[in-house]
Amino acid sequence: MILDPVLDIIRSQAAKKWASKVPTSLRSLSQVKSVAILMDVEAWGFQESKEEISSWFRSQGLRPDMHFFDFRKLEKDELLLTSITNTILKKDLNWFGMPDPSHIVDVNEDLFISLVDNADFPVRFFSTTCRSPFKVGCHGWEGHPFDLLVSAQPGATTMDLFNEMKKYLLKLK
Protein backbone atom coordinates (compact mmCIF):
# COMPACT_ATOMS: atom_id res chain seq x y z
CA MET A 1 0.00 0.00 0.00
CA ILE A 2 1.48 3.35 -1.02
CA LEU A 3 0.09 5.21 2.01
CA ASP A 4 2.24 3.31 4.54
CA PRO A 5 5.60 4.86 3.51
CA VAL A 6 4.03 8.33 3.37
CA LEU A 7 2.44 7.78 6.77
CA ASP A 8 5.80 6.61 8.17
CA ILE A 9 7.48 9.79 6.90
CA ILE A 10 4.79 12.01 8.41
CA ARG A 11 4.99 10.18 11.73
CA SER A 12 8.77 10.34 11.75
CA GLN A 13 8.74 14.09 11.10
CA ALA A 14 6.16 14.67 13.85
CA ALA A 15 8.17 12.62 16.34
CA LYS A 16 11.37 14.55 15.47
CA LYS A 17 9.58 17.88 15.77
CA TRP A 18 8.20 17.12 19.23
CA ALA A 19 11.07 14.93 20.53
CA SER A 20 12.34 15.78 23.98
CA LYS A 21 15.71 17.55 24.10
CA VAL A 22 16.22 16.52 27.75
CA PRO A 23 19.32 14.30 28.03
CA THR A 24 18.51 10.93 29.55
CA SER A 25 20.57 8.44 31.54
CA LEU A 26 20.26 5.65 34.10
CA ARG A 27 19.57 6.93 37.61
CA SER A 28 19.11 5.34 40.99
CA LEU A 29 15.75 5.49 42.71
CA SER A 30 17.34 7.78 45.31
CA GLN A 31 17.71 10.41 42.55
CA VAL A 32 14.07 10.08 41.52
CA LYS A 33 11.36 12.17 43.19
CA SER A 34 8.47 11.63 40.75
CA VAL A 35 7.50 9.02 38.20
CA ALA A 36 5.24 9.01 35.15
CA ILE A 37 3.77 5.65 34.17
CA LEU A 38 2.09 4.84 30.86
CA MET A 39 -0.33 1.90 30.85
CA ASP A 40 -2.76 0.30 28.42
CA VAL A 41 -6.21 -0.27 29.94
CA GLU A 42 -6.66 -3.29 27.65
CA ALA A 43 -3.64 -5.07 29.15
CA TRP A 44 -4.26 -8.25 31.12
CA GLY A 45 -4.73 -7.46 34.83
CA PHE A 46 -4.76 -3.70 34.26
CA GLN A 47 -6.93 -2.59 37.19
CA GLU A 48 -5.06 -4.60 39.83
CA SER A 49 -1.70 -3.62 38.35
CA LYS A 50 -2.58 0.06 38.34
CA GLU A 51 -3.37 0.04 42.06
CA GLU A 52 -0.37 -2.10 43.07
CA ILE A 53 2.12 -0.07 41.01
CA SER A 54 0.82 3.22 42.34
CA SER A 55 0.95 1.92 45.93
CA TRP A 56 4.51 0.63 45.51
CA PHE A 57 5.80 3.97 44.27
CA ARG A 58 4.05 5.81 47.10
CA SER A 59 5.65 3.38 49.58
CA GLN A 60 9.01 4.39 48.10
CA GLY A 61 8.26 8.07 48.72
CA LEU A 62 7.65 8.76 45.04
CA ARG A 63 4.70 10.57 43.51
CA PRO A 64 3.27 8.46 40.65
CA ASP A 65 1.63 10.29 37.73
CA MET A 66 -0.39 7.68 35.84
CA HIS A 67 -1.20 8.03 32.11
CA PHE A 68 -3.34 5.65 30.09
CA PHE A 69 -4.14 4.56 26.56
CA ASP A 70 -7.75 3.44 26.20
CA PHE A 71 -8.40 2.51 22.58
CA ARG A 72 -11.40 0.31 23.32
CA LYS A 73 -14.65 0.89 21.50
CA LEU A 74 -16.89 1.99 24.34
CA GLU A 75 -20.62 1.36 24.28
CA LYS A 76 -22.99 4.19 25.21
CA ASP A 77 -23.48 2.99 28.77
CA GLU A 78 -19.83 1.95 29.30
CA LEU A 79 -17.60 4.16 31.44
CA LEU A 80 -13.90 4.91 31.32
CA LEU A 81 -11.75 2.98 33.78
CA THR A 82 -9.47 5.99 34.30
CA SER A 83 -9.55 9.77 34.61
CA ILE A 84 -10.24 11.55 31.33
CA THR A 85 -7.48 14.07 32.10
CA ASN A 86 -4.76 11.37 32.03
CA THR A 87 -6.26 9.12 29.37
CA ILE A 88 -5.66 9.20 25.65
CA LEU A 89 -8.61 7.77 23.76
CA LYS A 90 -8.67 6.59 20.17
CA LYS A 91 -10.74 9.67 19.27
CA ASP A 92 -7.92 11.86 20.68
CA LEU A 93 -5.52 10.69 17.96
CA ASN A 94 -5.24 12.75 14.80
CA TRP A 95 -5.56 11.24 11.33
CA PHE A 96 -2.07 9.74 11.39
CA GLY A 97 -2.28 8.42 14.95
CA MET A 98 -0.59 11.22 16.91
CA PRO A 99 -1.91 12.17 20.35
CA ASP A 100 -2.07 15.87 21.25
CA PRO A 101 1.55 16.75 22.05
CA SER A 102 0.63 19.60 24.40
CA HIS A 103 -0.41 17.06 27.05
CA ILE A 104 2.68 14.93 26.67
CA VAL A 105 5.39 17.59 26.75
CA ASP A 106 4.18 18.46 30.24
CA VAL A 107 5.24 14.98 31.38
CA ASN A 108 8.59 15.80 32.96
CA GLU A 109 8.80 13.54 36.00
CA ASP A 110 12.26 12.25 36.92
CA LEU A 111 11.39 8.73 35.72
CA PHE A 112 9.14 7.63 32.86
CA ILE A 113 8.00 4.01 32.65
CA SER A 114 6.12 2.64 29.67
CA LEU A 115 4.27 -0.56 30.48
CA VAL A 116 2.64 -0.67 27.04
CA ASP A 117 4.04 -3.74 25.32
CA ASN A 118 3.91 -2.63 21.70
CA ALA A 119 5.64 -0.17 19.39
CA ASP A 120 2.54 1.41 17.86
CA PHE A 121 2.96 5.05 16.91
CA PRO A 122 1.08 6.55 19.90
CA VAL A 123 3.43 4.67 22.28
CA ARG A 124 6.51 5.72 20.31
CA PHE A 125 5.34 9.32 20.20
CA PHE A 126 4.48 9.51 23.92
CA SER A 127 7.78 7.89 24.94
CA THR A 128 9.86 10.09 22.65
CA THR A 129 8.23 13.41 23.52
CA CYS A 130 7.90 13.22 27.30
CA ARG A 131 10.59 15.29 29.05
CA SER A 132 11.77 12.76 31.65
CA PRO A 133 15.53 12.38 32.19
CA PHE A 134 15.31 8.60 32.85
CA LYS A 135 13.12 6.37 30.69
CA VAL A 136 12.32 2.69 31.12
CA GLY A 137 10.33 0.68 28.59
CA CYS A 138 9.36 -2.87 27.74
CA HIS A 139 9.30 -2.71 23.96
CA GLY A 140 12.06 -1.19 21.88
CA TRP A 141 12.25 -0.04 18.27
CA GLU A 142 14.93 1.51 16.12
CA GLY A 143 16.04 4.73 17.80
CA HIS A 144 13.90 4.14 20.92
CA PRO A 145 14.34 6.70 23.74
CA PHE A 146 14.66 4.26 26.64
CA ASP A 147 17.68 4.10 28.92
CA LEU A 148 16.61 0.67 30.11
CA LEU A 149 14.55 -2.00 28.33
CA VAL A 150 13.05 -4.78 30.42
CA SER A 151 10.96 -7.64 29.09
CA ALA A 152 8.96 -10.41 30.69
CA GLN A 153 7.92 -13.85 29.54
CA PRO A 154 5.36 -14.02 26.72
CA GLY A 155 1.85 -13.83 28.14
CA ALA A 156 3.02 -11.98 31.26
CA THR A 157 0.65 -9.56 32.94
CA THR A 158 1.40 -5.88 33.38
CA MET A 159 2.24 -6.61 37.02
CA ASP A 160 4.70 -9.34 35.99
CA LEU A 161 6.38 -6.87 33.68
CA PHE A 162 6.50 -4.18 36.36
CA ASN A 163 7.99 -6.64 38.86
CA GLU A 164 10.81 -7.34 36.38
CA MET A 165 11.39 -3.59 35.98
CA LYS A 166 11.33 -3.13 39.75
CA LYS A 167 14.15 -5.68 40.17
CA TYR A 168 16.41 -3.60 37.93
CA LEU A 169 15.35 -0.26 39.39
CA LEU A 170 16.18 -1.47 42.89
CA LYS A 171 19.62 -2.67 41.74
CA LEU A 172 20.61 0.72 40.33
CA LYS A 173 22.78 2.52 42.87
Side-chain angles (χ1 to χ4, degrees), residues 5 10 36 38 40-41 48 75 105 128 132 135 169 172:
I10 292 168
L38 179 63
D40 183 351
V41 300
E48 300 80 21
E75 300 299 325
V105 297
T128 301
S132 298
K135 297 181 180 183
L169 290 172
L172 292 174

Side-chain angles (χ1 to χ4, degrees), residues 36-107:
I37 302 151
L38 179 63
M39 298 180 73
D40 183 351
V41 300
E42 294 182 81
W44 182 257
F46 163 76
Q47 196 65 34
E48 300 80 21
S49 300
K50 177 181 86 161
E51 298 303 323
E52 285 185 52
I53 292 166
S54 185
S55 292
W56 185 81
F57 278 114
R58 283 193 304 275
S59 76
Q60 300 298 307
L62 300 172
R63 180 183 51 84
D65 182 22
M66 309 289 279
H67 298 268
F68 310 99
F69 283 157
D70 190 346
F71 297 156
R72 299 172 299 147
K73 183 176 170 107
L74 298 174
E75 300 299 325
K76 288 181 185 180
D77 58 337
E78 198 170 3
L79 299 174
L80 282 176
L81 299 173
T82 56
S83 165
I84 192 68
T85 58
N86 289 16
T87 304
I88 296 173
L89 305 170
K90 190 163 187 99
K91 70 177 185 160
D92 296 331
L93 304 177
N94 69 10
W95 68 271
F96 61 89
M98 184 177 88
D100 182 357
S102 65
H103 297 293
I104 301 167
V105 297
D106 291 339
V107 175

